[in-house]
Amino acid sequence: MYLLYNPRKYPPPDICLPSIDPPGTEVDVPPILQQKVFTRKDVELYKKAPALDTLPRTFVPCRKRKYKPPLMHYGWPALRLKMLKLAEDRQLTQMVSYMDFDHPDFHDGPGGPMTAPELDEVATIDFLVETTAKQITSKPPPNLEVVLALNAPNTCLVISLYTNYEPKSLSEDFIEKFRVALELEKPQWFLDDQYMVWTGSGPCEM
């Protein structure tokens, strides 16, 4: 088992960020997000779980607690067609070619025939996010990435600024400029596509 996050580097219990509820805040957490026992049939319920404007403190991981919370991302849904259109308009489209195994002159090794270039959607969206961030600041957030999320509306992609296991104090000016540049709404918290349940160890690879 490989832990994705170092338990010794969990955020401090008294961490204060605009995206996290202040200590002592009482909130109603959707029941499905509190569930400690998981079955595959619950996946559809997780997909319908609402995104959270601010993170309840129960989802800030703590070494002393028996159960560790699901992995959650703070950011925005990345609507595929919208992001691809923005990339095209800004000449940031990324293309890819593959070895053409069906070509009559195919041979293994350098210089072999290649397929016609085609759009690489994932690389294009990644490049759009990376380029936009670098146009705003010379030091983009280190954990900024496009990830798979379970409960993002109308998409499976989320532009993640950081997670509940590694929350970061980011410039609100950067967040706002980035949001406007990509025509996004306000950032929210979304469930990770793979590590969406409470566990005894936290997000890990088996």
Side-chain angles (χ1 to χ4, degrees), residues 87-107:
E88 180 183 12
D89 292 346
R90 299 171 190 183
Q91 299 182 337
L92 298 175
T93 298
Q94 301 296 293
M95 308 299 286
V96 64
S97 295
Y98 304 96
M99 294 192 70
D100 190 352
F101 296 101
D102 296 324
H103 195 282
D105 295 328
F106 171 77
H107 63 272

Side-chain angles (χ1 to χ4, degrees), residues 143-160:
N143 294 343
L144 180 66
E145 61 180 338
V146 180
V147 300
L148 293 175
L150 195 64
N151 63 329
N154 305 313
T155 183
C156 63
L157 299 177
V158 158
I159 302 169
S160 177

Side-chain angles (χ1 to χ4, degrees), residues 50-180:
L52 303 175
D53 291 333
T54 56
L55 188 72
R57 296 200 75 84
T58 187
F59 291 101
V60 177
C62 176
R63 281 189 298 162
K64 296 181 180 180
R65 294 184 192 148
K66 179 180 179 181
Y67 288 100
K68 306 302 183 289
L71 179 61
M72 302 188 75
H73 298 275
Y74 184 62
W76 301 270
L79 298 177
R80 172 178 153 272
L81 293 180
K82 180 179 180 179
M83 293 296 108
L84 294 177
K85 181 64 167 60
L86 286 175
E88 180 183 12
D89 292 346
R90 299 171 190 183
Q91 299 182 337
L92 298 175
T93 298
Q94 301 296 293
M95 308 299 286
V96 64
S97 295
Y98 304 96
M99 294 192 70
D100 190 352
F101 296 101
D102 296 324
H103 195 282
D105 295 328
F106 171 77
H107 63 272
D108 196 7
M114 305 293 288
T115 61
E118 59 185 66
L119 176 64
D120 187 329
E121 295 188 357
V122 174
T124 294
I125 296 174
D126 281 339
F127 191 54
L128 171 67
V129 168
E130 176 186 351
T131 301
T132 302
K134 289 181 177 179
Q135 289 172 343
I136 297 171
T137 176
S138 60
K139 295 182 178 180
N143 294 343
L144 180 66
E145 61 180 338
V146 180
V147 300
L148 293 175
L150 195 64
N151 63 329
N154 305 313
T155 183
C156 63
L157 299 177
V158 158
I159 302 169
S160 177
L161 289 166
Y162 51 77
T163 74
N164 55 327
Y165 280 79
E166 291 185 315
K168 303 293 183 182
S169 179
L170 301 180
S171 161
E172 291 298 315
D173 181 64
F174 168 82
I175 294 176
E176 178 62 13
K177 287 180 178 178
F178 185 84
R179 183 194 71 78
V180 171

